Amino acid sequence: MKTLSENACFGGTQGVYSHASTSCACDMTFAVFLPEEAKDGPVPVLWYLSGLTCTHENAMTKAGAQAWAAEHGIALIFPDTSPRGDDVADDEAYDLGKGAGFYVDATQDPWAPNFQMWTYITDELPALIGENFAIDMDRQGITGHSMGGHGALTMAMGLPGRFKSVSAFAPISNPTAADWGRKQLAAYLGDDETKWAAHDATLMMAEKGFDGPILIDTGTNDQFIDLLKPEALAAAIATKRQQATVRLQPGYDHSYFFVSTFMEDHVAFHADALYAE
Amino acid sequence: MKTLSENACFGGTQGVYSHASTSCACDMTFAVFLPEEAKDGPVPVLWYLSGLTCTHENAMTKAGAQAWAAEHGIALIFPDTSPRGDDVADDEAYDLGKGAGFYVDATQDPWAPNFQMWTYITDELPALIGENFAIDMDRQGITGHSMGGHGALTMAMGLPGRFKSVSAFAPISNPTAADWGRKQLAAYLGDDETKWAAHDATLMMAEKGFDGPILIDTGTNDQFIDLLKPEALAAAIATKRQQATVRLQPGYDHSYFFVSTFMEDHVAFHADALYAE
């Protein structure tokens, strides 16, 4: 693991690191915020998964999460959204290939050799972080924006017991039924739609739900709301009697101005769950 | 004036606008954050002047100022740092020409036709904003980062009665005595150093001071601290018996991780002054 930068930030440290990823077969970059409390011992952690076209950097610089993570003594992890490098397959579209890993393990060519983002985020990166940072991997929460909200919800439901709490900002909520989803799931996982179900938050909610609290915010003026399908997940949550808060925020769009506005609530929500025991 | 974008943000609106500037003889872009309270009538305002290489966008997306401006019911203005466009003179160096206006009115060629940033920020832009936004121009504070901290301090002292309060993050504090300053003041104002004194916060402090409170933060690990010369301004403030708080923040550098960390304090500091009467 290589340190690319470390900056003092809200009493703690915002660092950026790279390492040779075995699952993605390329160098990967990620960012970690450690609050001041991490100097005294392991702290709880909140994962933030980013959306289409993003890297580790967008949320790190624009979401304003460090202010609230510092207040609650929580670490933040900002992974990249796809494998990177000249040898990695890509597509001309912004929503497939680099910057658009969709948090799945690709089985199809040309994606399979590198696009193993599910394994990377849920297995390889947690192991690396557990070894190198003062983070208590028994107290993890997960959140994300758009494609990253999809990743957060599917990982939280797909790995029971791993995360104490899950939240999302404008998540892609029903990708098997939307253009943000069908195209990518077909490309990465193939045409057999039964293999897609493990990566659709609405279908997973109907089938299994989540053993903990959920918080979801979506703006009523979100320019992509027809692709996100919050109504499908909201209905599934209500049908399942799942512990959850689903909010439609009047006037907000899909931007980081929306994300940063509600970040305080989301970090406080996770802090409640992470400090509950 | 043209609206380029408006996003809901912390209960208010973050907008980006452009207009044909007469002082800079080019189109200029600026950003305004209006808190929710502006719907009911004019609100106080805090100007944020950015540093070298920045546009209106850097602080708007990375400084986290809207959270605190919303809390205090204060508007924010983020101007650009120089004239722009293909017809505007430039230099290969990052610290001269575009992105490096230094908040002066250039008298020398090739800069004089467009680089009139003092007049633009103190005269043209306030008039435009006063006409178009619910902002109370009798309650203005000003802050800035690096070159923008220099701009904030020199404008506050150069226009007595205009600003109720001034603060700065890692300001260029004594530009007539540093490489961030001598080069630019010579290029824009010519070789007669007597003309530079009206754009040096340390010299202005010694001569006239400021009729209100001052807050200045600089990181002890600032990689440019030898160019900023905080010690010169600190000495001038103490000698003048100027009402001021000058803080050296342990471990912080010159980045927006530093700026965002202390933004809450700066906005609260200005709110105290803007709501004092």
Side-chain angles (χ1 to χ4, degrees), chain A residues 7-8 10-11 68 251-253 260-261, chain B residues 7-8 10-11 251-253 260-261:
Chain A
N7 300 83
F10 287 94
W68 315 115
Y252 288 88
D253 57 30
S260 60
T261 296
Chain B
N7 300 83
F10 288 95
Y252 287 88
D253 57 31
S260 59
T261 296

Side-chain angles (χ1 to χ4, degrees), chain A residues 6-12 14 60-64 66-68 71 250-253 255 257-258 260-262, chain B residues 6-12 14 60-64 66-68 71 250-253 255 257-258 260-262:
Chain A
E6 287 186 333
N7 300 83
C9 182
F10 287 94
Q14 179 61 63
M60 176 182 82
T61 57
K62 298 198 297 184
Q66 294 93 345
W68 315 115
E71 185 171 309
Y252 288 88
D253 57 30
S255 70
F257 296 114
F258 157 68
S260 60
T261 296
F262 298 102
Chain B
E6 288 187 330
N7 300 83
C9 183
F10 288 95
Q14 178 61 62
M60 176 183 81
T61 57
K62 299 198 297 185
Q66 294 93 345
W68 315 116
E71 186 171 309
Y252 287 88
D253 57 31
S255 70
F257 297 114
F258 156 68
S260 59
T261 296
F262 298 102

Side-chain angles (χ1 to χ4, degrees), chain B residues 16-270:
Chain B
V16 179
Y17 310 91
S18 73
H19 68 120
S21 164
T22 51
S23 44
C24 293
C26 66
D27 284 350
M28 293 291 283
T29 302
F30 63 95
V32 175
F33 170 74
L34 286 181
E36 192 167 20
E37 289 82 351
K39 289 173 191 158
D40 301 323
V43 297
V45 64
L46 176 61
W47 293 76
Y48 182 100
L49 304 186
S50 271
L52 288 166
T53 75
C54 290
T55 68
H56 68 281
E57 194 180 5
N58 302 64
M60 176 183 81
T61 57
K62 299 198 297 185
Q66 294 93 345
W68 315 116
E71 186 171 309
H72 293 286
I74 290 174
L76 299 168
I77 306 172
F78 303 101
D80 203 345
T81 60
S82 77
R84 303 283 175 182
D86 293 343
D87 298 334
V88 171
D90 201 5
D91 188 275
E92 286 183 5
Y94 75 97
D95 61 357
L96 189 67
K98 289 180 191 170
F102 255 78
Y103 304 103
V104 302
D105 285 344
T107 57
Q108 307 297 303
D109 284 331
W111 312 109
N114 302 101
F115 284 74
Q116 302 293 318
M117 290 301 290
W118 179 278
T119 295
Y120 176 69
I121 302 280
T122 65
D123 186 5
E124 184 177 5
L125 191 54
L128 183 76
I129 284 173
E131 279 166 27
N132 288 282
F133 297 90
I135 289 178
D136 177 0
M137 300 306 274
D138 289 331
R139 287 187 290 167
Q140 300 183 61
I142 191 165
T143 186
H145 174 226
S146 195
M147 177 183 75
H150 147 76
L153 290 163
T154 55
M155 287 176 181
M157 287 187 275
L159 298 164
R162 170 77 64 97
F163 299 102
K164 306 285 189 203
S165 47
V166 59
S167 76
F169 301 86
I172 295 177
S173 301
N174 191 194
T176 63
D179 285 343
W180 270 357
R182 295 189 61 81
K183 169 185 174 178
Q184 294 84 358
L185 295 172
Y188 296 140
L189 303 180
D191 291 333
D192 177 1
E193 295 194 22
T194 62
K195 304 225 165 108
W196 301 3
H199 297 285
D200 183 303
T202 296
L203 300 180
M204 295 172 85
M205 179 56 63
E207 194 205 334
K208 51 170 71 173
F210 176 65
D211 183 22
I214 299 178
L215 171 63
I216 300 173
D217 276 315
T218 306
T220 60
N221 284 9
D222 191 308
Q223 58 270 47
F224 303 111
I225 200 164
D226 291 341
L227 296 164
L228 304 176
K229 297 200 171 292
E231 65 280 6
L233 182 55
I237 283 171
T239 302
K240 189 71 174 177
R241 316 303 193 234
Q242 165 72 46
Q243 176 189 359
T245 302
V246 177
R247 307 190 298 192
L248 277 292
Q249 299 288 4
Y252 287 88
D253 57 31
H254 201 69
S255 70
Y256 267 87
F257 297 114
F258 156 68
V259 173
S260 59
T261 296
F262 298 102
M263 185 56 76
E264 180 178 12
D265 290 356
H266 282 243
V267 176
F269 160 79
H270 287 282

Side-chain angles (χ1 to χ4, degrees), chain A residues 220-242:
Chain A
T220 61
N221 283 11
D222 192 308
Q223 60 269 47
F224 303 111
I225 199 162
D226 291 340
L227 297 164
L228 304 175
K229 295 198 170 292
E231 64 281 6
L233 182 54
I237 283 171
T239 302
K240 189 71 176 177
R241 317 301 193 236
Q242 165 72 45

